[in-house]
Amino acid sequence: MQTFLTFIVIGFSIALPVGAITVEMTKQGLKNGFFHGLTVGAGGMTIDLLLILALYAGFAQFLS
């Protein structure tokens, strides 16, 4: 059980790096409430998805 919990903590520490969006989500969530933090996270996720789709569609050729 000890090993299992250790691997869970290691997994979370790798999967949840603190970045600019995470900091802004936390600030907005604490300042204005949960919904504002959630919308900041959804906006960041949307931009990531659009970038992935653009790169998949061939935008990488344009960048290089």
Side-chain angles (χ1 to χ4, degrees), residues 7-22:
F7 286 138
I8 294 291
V9 170
I10 291 171
F12 276 130
S13 67
I14 292 171
L16 297 173
V18 177
I21 296 294
T22 307

Side-chain angles (χ1 to χ4, degrees), residues 24-57:
E24 190 60 32
M25 282 173 50
T26 305
K27 283 184 359 185
Q28 289 296 322
L30 290 173
K31 184 178 176 184
N32 299 321
F34 173 77
F35 186 71
H36 292 278
L38 182 69
T39 54
V40 169
M45 186 176 62
T46 303
I47 294 300
D48 288 341
L49 179 66
L50 289 175
L51 180 60
I52 289 169
L53 291 175
L55 291 174
Y56 182 74

